[in-house]
Amino acid sequence: MIVVTGATGNVGRPLVRALAQAGEEVTAVSRGVSGAGGPGVPGIGAPGGGAPGGGVPGAGITGGGVPDGVRYRRADVADAESLRPVVDGADALFLLVSGAGAHVDGRAVLDVAKAGGVRRVVLLSSQAAGTRPGSPSHAPLRVLEEVVRDSGLEWVILRPGGFHSNAYAWAEMVRTRRTVAAPFGDVGLPLVDPADIAEVAAAALREDGHAGRVHVLTGPGLSTPRERAAEIGRALGEPVRFAEQTREEARAQMLTFMPEPVADGTLAIIGEPTDAERSVSPDILGRPARPFSDWLHRHLAAFR
């Protein structure tokens, strides 16, 4: 059995689906699911994923399309004991923590997992845990990575850059004003499709050959906010205006849903990325990573 935490999010949902389609026994876990109803809360970008420094609200995620045979359970990784009945009898655990993970006792979570029989853990971390390990926004994730490495379990760490699904933050203004407002309009980053992250995670959970590895995950090339706004307009068939925010305007907006250190860390990455943060990761899937246009066409309804 494979346990997937964060199962209602932008990575968790396609991961659960991929594992179920592969014939795996899956238990999907979230703070916002029940055993009967399946997922029923909005998704949140994974750490370092909704934006390169932290999650942003995703599109509404409802209970439709729950794969047959998947068990849904309510638990919270911030309360390790709540996971005990969930991981009992499990072989592998996909571990996702919200925000930077400072509220999670990683050792307690992994002790519970080991007691339940888990032998393999795949942690969804962040690229910035490697590029900016001392940053207050990502230091807790780096600590969690070390806990995973020292757990005695077979481990894999995934370090994605920013998610394509970060564009959900623009959905309401695109729908109502045909406008995208964002800072650093011409700074490009190789954002990654959450579906690609899920595909790598599924392989790491199911297959040998990934143990002890850290996979950095990005998209196929650099993409700027201005370019993504134009792509949304082309997909909709009408112009979408790009309005460049100042750093201060963007920070004030981020602070409505991010802790201050995460907001500041995000702004540092999207405004002044390092060479490593602008680099495209090696191919892991045996095919090119999906571009933003691919993600957009699958989720265009959110912007109509």
Side-chain angles (χ1 to χ4, degrees):
M1 180 178 68
I2 298 174
V3 174
V4 176
T5 63
T8 58
N10 293 310
V11 174
R13 278 177 65 86
L15 175 57
V16 167
R17 187 164 53 247
L19 292 171
Q21 289 173 348
E24 298 290 347
E25 182 183 357
V26 183
T27 297
V29 179
S30 174
R31 290 174 298 178
V33 300
S34 66
V41 297
I44 299 297
V56 299
I61 293 176
T62 65
V66 175
D68 291 339
V70 173
R71 299 189 311 159
Y72 278 86
R73 297 291 183 266
R74 185 187 300 272
D76 188 346
V77 294
D79 176 8
E81 285 301 313
S82 73
L83 293 170
R84 194 172 293 279
V86 174
V87 299
D88 186 34
D91 303 302
L93 170 68
F94 178 72
L95 180 57
L96 181 151
V97 299
S98 60
H103 60 297
V104 174
D105 184 342
R107 287 184 176 83
V109 168
L110 294 177
D111 284 347
V112 166
K114 285 190 287 186
V118 169
R119 60 181 179 82
R120 177 178 296 179
V121 59
V122 176
L123 171 68
L124 185 61
S125 183
S126 165
Q127 183 186 40
T131 59
R132 302 175 188 244
S135 167
S137 60
H138 287 85
L141 274 177
R142 188 58 178 255
V143 170
L144 185 56
E145 287 189 0
E146 294 306 314
V147 169
V148 167
R149 292 174 194 263
D150 294 339
S151 65
L153 297 170
E154 186 179 295
W155 60 265
V156 183
I157 294 171
L158 307 183
R159 287 180 176 171
F163 287 14
H164 289 159
S165 53
N166 198 38
Y168 278 138
W170 300 338
E172 188 275 336
M173 69 180 85
V174 171
R175 288 195 305 267
T176 59
R177 305 192 299 278
R178 290 297 189 250
T179 297
V180 162
F184 315 118
D186 298 308
V187 177
L189 287 166
L191 306 185
V192 63
D193 193 321
D196 283 349
I197 302 169
E199 192 169 331
V200 174
L205 287 162
R206 300 181 63 238
E207 302 170 3
D208 296 329
H210 297 271
R213 298 180 65 182
V214 177
H215 292 312
V216 176
L217 305 176
T218 73
L222 300 182
S223 169
T224 71
R226 194 183 306 276
E227 290 168 343
R228 293 194 295 279
E231 283 200 62
I232 294 170
R234 286 193 293 272
L236 292 172
E238 53 187 289
V240 170
R241 183 177 71 92
F242 182 78
E244 185 148 3
Q245 292 177 312
T246 66
R247 191 185 196 100
E248 291 72 24
E249 289 169 339
R251 186 176 189 272
Q253 182 180 0
M254 289 176 177
L255 289 176
T256 65
F257 58 86
M258 286 184 186
E260 187 173 3
V262 176
D264 290 336
T266 297
L267 287 167
I269 294 171
I270 65 176
E272 302 91 24
T274 66
D275 289 344
E277 289 159 353
R278 289 171 57 86
S279 296
V280 174
S281 64
D283 172 34
I284 298 172
L285 295 170
R287 59 162 175 79
R290 296 178 176 97
F292 177 72
S293 58
D294 189 288
W295 177 89
L296 176 61
H297 282 280
R298 300 198 319 270
H299 301 280
L300 190 59
F303 300 89
R304 292 194 183 280

